[in-house]
Amino acid sequence: DTYLKLEDVTRKFNKPCIMDVKIGQKSYDPYASEEKIQQQVSKYPLMEEIGFLVLGMRVYHVSSDSYETQNQHYGRRLTKETVKDGISKFFHSGYCLRKDVIAASIQKVEKILEWFEGQTQLNFYASSLLFVYEGSCQATTVRLSDVTLAEKRRGPKGLLAGGDVLEYNNNIHVINSTENGKIEASVGKGLSKFYALHKKACSKRHHSQLSLKVENSEQDNVWKTSTCITQEHLNGNVLPQLEKVFYHMPAETKESANVEVRMIDFAHVFPSDTKDEGYIYGLKNLITVLQNILDN
């Protein structure tokens, strides 16, 4: 029997953040009428020039415990000058820019680009990429086996300065907590979950110091770094420093962020004997925009 199987891509997420991006220089197929062509071009004239269109997004803000939703009109208002800032809104938690998610998203889009560079059988029109990532700072859906756990330490909980409890988050374990409030954390492969720690510290505004010891082993090659981030006042300015640490992580670790990028909407797919240059063009431009957001 032939059947169509549907998957809920958001099923494993607690607070899913979702963005739909239409890819390609043309959103109409080769057999579209002139009326249809004009209708599609008038909706977003820049589609041919930049190769993609944001159709909508839904972003969870940790700070307000609420979602911000943007529809297709939001995407159509974006220009070449504003598209970078427009897309960056999708990756902002209300506290900081989720560079871990951006890095993981770039890698996943690059894999899709690699497939398109090698196939000459199909051309896609009005198809989209669906981006989904975990917006909650305490993602309970991550399985224990999905992350490399740090060495177990005695005591299930650590204390932040002022007596606040910092619970384990699968891959984050408190090594010690000294009288001056210094906390050392050993972080495994899922460093993206360190977001739970810096969100907690940022929200409490503790006058303390934070020292991170990051260790990771990638196959047979050992990548090690010992990075200390010390600030007398943990007042939110630590976030850019944490982001710098994450930005220099190896690619395999970056991808450990809880992110999905899926190809969706295949109503207009046609046989071809050439590469889908329009889709490839859109993917490359989207990667460029994402990389600019990450770098800046």
Side-chain angles (χ1 to χ4, degrees):
D1 294 334
T2 301
Y3 62 92
L4 181 67
K5 181 179 179 180
L6 300 181
E7 179 185 5
D8 178 7
V9 182
T10 69
R11 72 192 183 283
K12 66 179 183 179
F13 297 92
N14 183 30
K15 297 289 185 181
C17 297
I18 308 166
M19 179 170 65
D20 185 332
V21 182
K22 184 183 290 188
I23 304 293
Q25 291 179 282
K26 297 178 180 179
S27 58
Y28 53 88
D29 62 60
Y31 301 101
S33 64
E34 187 62 32
E35 180 182 0
K36 178 69 172 181
I37 294 174
Q38 292 303 319
Q39 179 193 47
Q40 291 298 311
V41 171
S42 63
K43 283 183 177 181
Y44 195 61
L46 281 178
M47 189 79 179
E48 186 171 356
E49 187 172 353
I50 68 175
F52 63 87
L53 165 64
V54 177
L55 291 179
M57 64 177 69
R58 186 170 181 259
V59 189
Y60 177 72
H61 286 172
V62 178
S63 54
S64 60
D65 189 25
S66 63
Y67 280 94
E68 177 185 350
T69 303
Q70 303 289 352
N71 61 22
Q72 58 183 322
H73 299 292
Y74 171 83
R76 290 175 186 169
R77 289 195 298 267
L78 298 178
T79 65
K80 287 189 298 182
E81 292 74 25
T82 63
V83 68
K84 173 185 161 186
D85 291 337
I87 290 180
S88 68
K89 286 174 67 72
F90 174 65
F91 299 102
H92 205 285
S93 70
Y95 278 112
C96 65
L97 190 67
R98 291 291 304 277
K99 289 194 173 184
D100 58 326
V101 174
I102 301 172
S105 297
I106 290 172
Q107 286 197 336
K108 291 179 181 293
V109 177
E110 285 177 339
K111 287 182 179 179
I112 295 173
L113 174 60
E114 182 181 355
W115 183 81
F116 269 92
E117 291 277 19
Q119 72 91 20
T120 57
Q121 294 179 309
L122 301 170
N123 281 359
F124 291 71
Y125 301 92
S127 185
S128 293
L129 292 185
L130 186 72
F131 291 76
V132 186
Y133 73 88
E134 179 56 62
S136 172
C137 63
Q138 300 208 357
T140 58
T141 53
V142 178
R143 292 178 301 174
L144 213 59
S145 59
D146 287 343
V147 295
T148 301
L149 299 179
E151 181 183 354
K152 291 183 179 180
R153 303 289 174 173
R154 274 186 283 178
K157 296 180 180 179
L159 293 179
L160 289 170
D164 283 7
V165 174
L166 171 66
E167 296 185 353
Y168 283 1
N169 189 21
N170 284 347
N171 54 320
I172 299 173
H173 295 266
V174 173
I175 295 177
N176 58 48
S177 179
T178 61
E179 292 180 359
N180 66 359
K182 175 180 282 190
I183 294 175
E184 290 186 9
S186 178
V187 186
K189 215 173 184 182
L191 185 58
S192 62
K193 300 304 174 233
F194 190 78
Y195 178 65
L197 171 59
H198 74 240
K199 180 262 176 183
K200 180 77 173 177
C202 180
S203 63
K204 292 300 180 183
R205 301 291 193 267
H206 288 305
H207 300 286
S208 61
Q209 295 179 332
L210 183 65
S211 174
L212 302 184
K213 186 178 294 180
V214 181
E215 293 186 359
N216 181 62
S217 174
E218 186 175 7
Q219 295 179 353
D220 293 333
N221 300 321
V222 177
W223 173 85
K224 277 189 178 182
T225 181
S226 184
T227 308
C228 286
I229 304 171
T230 303
Q231 292 191 353
E232 291 184 4
H233 303 288
L234 196 57
N235 59 0
N237 294 329
V238 72
L239 295 181
Q241 301 301 320
L242 290 171
E243 290 167 354
K244 287 179 183 177
V245 171
F246 199 91
Y247 180 71
H248 292 291
M249 290 178 58
E252 184 184 49
T253 308
K254 288 179 183 177
E255 196 178 6
S256 66
N258 203 359
V259 179
E260 291 281 0
V261 180
R262 301 291 191 90
M263 293 175 60
I264 62 171
D265 296 340
F266 309 113
H268 304 280
V269 180
F270 292 84
S272 173
D273 56 2
T274 61
K275 290 184 179 180
D276 190 342
E277 297 295 347
Y279 202 102
I280 291 173
Y281 179 83
L283 289 176
K284 287 182 175 179
N285 278 350
L286 180 59
I287 290 171
T288 298
V289 170
L290 294 175
Q291 191 65 56
N292 285 338
I293 296 172
L294 185 64
D295 293 341
N296 297 328

